[in-house]
Every structure is written in structure tokens, then in C-alpha cells.
Amino acid sequence: MRRTDPEGHGPVRFGPPLPEDGLPVLPELSAVLTAAATRGGHEPVGGGPALREAACGYWDRRGLHCDPGRVAAAPGAPALLLALTAALGGDVLVPRPCAAWWAPYARLLGRPAFQVPTPPESGGVPDPYALLETVRRVRAEGGDPRLLVLSVADDPTATVAPPELLHETVEAAQGEGLHLVSDETWRDTLHVPHDTVLLSPAEMLPDRVVVVSDLAGALLPPGWPAAVARFPAGDDADGLHARVLDVLTALDGRVAAPVAAAAGYALGEPEPVTGRVTAAVRLHARLAAAAHDAVVSAGALARPPRSGRHLYADLGPLRPALAAHGVGDAQELEDFLSARLGMPAPGGHRFGDGLEALRVRLSTGALLPGSDTGRAECLTSPTPLELPHVQRALIRLKSVFDDLRDDAQRGEPAR
């Protein structure tokens, strides 16, 4: 993660990567990748038959019927979003805040990415009335909005949008003739899956939604880049799928053969994979809840995390205390907290929030031990938060935020 221009905090050009899980690679995945490492060839653009069929099975189990001929694979979700943006043309709409890698691909193609506010209860899905107003304004100014990118299980806010909000936003997008890309990277990381309703926009608008999933969200290590996209049925989608493959061909956007083998195995969801996903989600849910408690008890604001491996915090209430440390914007907050916490704390400006807003994304993977042995112990322990390394990391987090709270209270006028 690179810093922005130090003079004047220029435009953010490099965003932070997906939050890592901080866990050792699943041995069964390593075995599959190792067995495929002797293959000298490469996967075709868009993925080979085995990988695409595995992706169809994955989506079929989630109620999204899929045909292998309507699947495309690429080395990471950014390559798919770039190809989709290029293939669809027009201007792009994104929620504010949004995943750090969404907007740069529109800018790379010379297209603006218009930000649409999200409602107070969740991120990832724009407020439907704000969406309609943004589309109206963009068209009035001569723009051509065609693509809306959204995410029900969201990075950076770690929230899950309620179905009623999603339904209203999808209806608004349909009425304006927008294509939708649903980033469902984090859909398998719900902290309390039995009490959380997650619907895909593809269930509501089957003919205009492309579902994209980066497998680093739950199934693969972040260093093994692979992502899959599910295209809807219909002649229009056939043309879009073909144009996306053209762009991936120009980029030579192929999944490496060993990674494709591991991705196909993971998408098949055998017991070792599902067991690891369940254990990892349970661990990160506990870490996120503890981090949320530390942040909120210090007087900062944060929505309760419902998915993923991260927490999005607003330190606006602590602005006076932060000002005493020379922190007045999100970049300075990023620098300050990254140094104090000893872990990356990317500012909200990297996710589309204003530079003046004191917001950060904190990743739970950074709270885990550095050794594979220690990480494995966290997965199996009934009380992972009491393990020494994790306990020290949480104490440090709480201490940093408590110090800011105390500074803010000392700065209050006497009553």
C-alpha cells in the first residue's frame, strides 16, 4: 500500500489489497497446487472447462443456476472488472465508500466513477433515491451512466445490506437501464449466517447482473490470484461475455494452471475446504467483534461487522484528540494509526470517502500470530482471543484507542 502524494495529499493511485486471513495455507489446497505444478501449459482465456464447471456447481448450490458457457475466470477480480467496464462502455456508478479497487479501473479507461451515498445502516449498496438523483444529474451534464457496481457483503464496511434496500436499489437501477456487477467476494464470510439474510442482485434481476467473486475472499490464499464471473442468460449477455473475453485476451488475463487446479478444487467445496472456511469465519468474527468493542468504547463510531475480515471505523468524535497529534485528515490518520498499531490502517480516502473524514479500515488478520503454528492454534482453540499473541494485539489496539479517548476527555471544557 503506497502513500498518497505527501504534498497536498494528491490523488490516491494505489489502494490497499483485500484483507488477508492471516492463516496458513490449507494442506489439501497445497497438495492440489503442487500436483498441478508440473503442467507446462496454460489455462485458456476465461478458464478451462474444469474450472468453469466447478464455478457453476458453486453458484448452483447458492440458488444461482449457471452454465459453463456463461462463466469467465481471470487472475483476480480486478481483471474481470476492468474487462467488464471496457466491454460495457459508458460511465460507472459506485457506492460511497466502496472497495478500493473498483474506481481505479474506470479511471484507467478514462471514465469517471460517480459515487452514490449509501444509507446509514449498511454500505456496499447505494441508497435508491440517491442513485436516481445521481443518474439524473450525470445525464443532465452530458454523461452516460451504464454500469453500477455494488456489493451486498461489503468491503470496506463489513456490513450486509438488507434485502429490502437491495430490492429498491435494483429496481431503481433497472428502471434507469443500468447493468449491474455484483461483487460477491465476501458472501461466504457471514459472521452469523443463520441470522443474516444475504440475497444476490442476480436473484432479483436475472438478465442484467454479472456476479463476480474473487476467491481470495474465502476459498484461496490471497497470493493465488483467481476470480470467476457468472454472466446472465440472453443474447445481450452473450455479446457481453464475448467482449469480456476479448479484453481478457488483450490483457493475456489467464489463471495460472496450478492456481486454476486449486481454484477448481476449492469451488467444489470438499469437506477440508468447508471446514477451513467455517473455522476461519468463526475466528475472524470473534476478532472483529473484539476490535469493534475496543473502537466503540473509546468513543469512535463503527457499524457492527457482519462479514469479512475487517472493520470500518469513523474517528470523527475523536478529532480534537487526533488534532493534538497532528492528525487532520484521513491520510494523516492512516499514517498515525499504522505506526501506533503496528498494522496497516488504510484511510477512508482509499475507499472513496472524503479526505477530511477521519475513517479507517482495520483488518482482523493483522491481529493473528506471525508463525504458521500460532495461526493454526488460533483456528482450533475454543478461546483464541486469550492466546498470548492475539491478546497482546488486542490490548495494543484497545490501548491506542483508549489513549485517544482519554486525550479527548482531557481536552473537554470543565462542566
Side-chain angles (χ1 to χ4, degrees):
M1 186 176 70
R2 303 190 189 183
R3 198 186 193 283
T4 53
D5 183 356
E7 295 188 10
H9 298 329
V12 176
R13 300 189 184 277
F14 300 93
L18 291 177
E20 297 189 9
D21 63 6
L23 299 171
V25 176
L26 183 67
E28 288 81 358
L29 275 179
S30 293
V32 172
L33 184 132
T34 300
T38 57
R39 298 180 188 174
H42 51 68
E43 286 279 294
V45 171
L51 177 55
R52 290 184 284 114
E53 288 173 6
C56 286
Y58 169 86
W59 278 310
D60 282 342
R61 289 188 293 276
R62 285 154 181 79
L64 297 174
H65 177 68
C66 188
D67 182 273
R70 299 182 184 277
V71 173
L80 286 171
L81 185 57
L82 174 63
L84 283 161
T85 306
L88 282 168
D91 298 330
V92 181
L93 301 166
V94 297
R96 186 178 68 236
C98 69
W101 54 274
W102 288 0
Y105 292 94
R107 293 198 295 264
L108 183 64
L109 295 168
R111 297 175 190 159
F114 295 96
Q115 297 175 329
V116 187
T118 55
E121 66 267 24
S122 63
V125 175
D127 177 88
Y129 299 103
L131 175 63
L132 292 172
E133 175 58 24
T134 302
V135 170
R136 183 202 64 77
R137 176 176 54 82
V138 171
R139 286 178 176 155
E141 295 174 356
D144 182 21
R146 296 189 194 176
L147 171 62
L148 170 63
V149 186
L150 49 74
S151 181
V152 181
D154 184 44
D155 170 22
T157 65
T159 58
V160 178
E164 56 272 18
L165 167 66
L166 181 65
H167 183 76
E168 292 176 3
T169 300
V170 168
E171 275 195 337
Q174 182 182 25
E176 296 299 329
L178 302 177
H179 287 268
L180 275 69
V181 170
S182 176
D183 174 13
E184 301 187 6
T185 294
W186 300 105
R187 71 167 296 153
D188 295 324
T189 65
L190 301 184
H191 294 178
V192 189
H194 297 297
D195 292 335
T196 307
V197 179
L198 185 149
L199 292 180
S200 170
E203 299 177 63
M204 303 178 180
L205 194 60
D207 59 342
R208 296 185 73 84
V209 178
V210 177
V211 176
V212 172
S213 181
D214 195 310
L215 303 188
L219 299 176
L220 289 183
W224 299 7
V228 287
R230 173 194 178 272
F231 291 76
D235 294 339
D236 290 344
D238 287 342
L240 177 59
H241 182 258
R243 294 194 300 275
V244 165
L245 291 181
D246 286 343
V247 177
L248 290 176
T249 299
L251 297 172
D252 196 25
R254 308 171 190 267
V255 181
V259 174
Y265 173 79
L267 285 165
E269 299 183 291
E271 192 283 327
V273 170
T274 57
R276 166 56 71 87
V277 170
T278 299
V281 170
R282 182 172 58 244
L283 171 61
H284 284 283
R286 291 173 175 174
L287 292 168
H292 180 263
D293 288 345
V295 168
V296 172
S297 65
L301 304 174
R303 300 182 183 101
R306 304 297 186 198
S307 65
R309 305 187 286 258
H310 48 282
L311 172 75
Y312 199 58
D314 183 350
L315 276 67
L318 301 175
R319 185 179 291 273
L322 288 164
H325 294 281
V327 175
D329 62 31
Q331 180 61 65
E332 291 166 347
L333 179 62
E334 175 182 302
D335 295 340
F336 174 79
L337 283 182
S338 296
R340 289 293 182 95
L341 296 173
M343 58 184 275
H349 60 307
R350 298 185 181 271
F351 307 100
D353 267 331
L355 185 65
E356 72 285 352
L358 296 177
R359 296 178 184 140
V360 294
R361 186 189 72 184
L362 304 174
S363 298
T364 52
L367 301 172
L368 295 174
S371 68
D372 283 352
T373 301
R375 294 168 180 174
E377 186 181 7
C378 291
L379 275 174
T380 58
S381 172
T383 54
L385 304 190
E386 297 177 10
L387 295 176
H389 181 95
V390 177
Q391 194 173 54
R392 286 195 297 271
L394 288 173
I395 289 173
R396 183 173 187 175
L397 176 69
K398 182 173 174 53
S399 175
V400 168
F401 278 93
D402 284 351
D403 286 348
L404 289 173
R405 177 200 60 201
D406 294 343
D407 291 345
Q409 291 174 346
R410 282 193 291 270
E412 291 180 354
R415 296 181 181 177

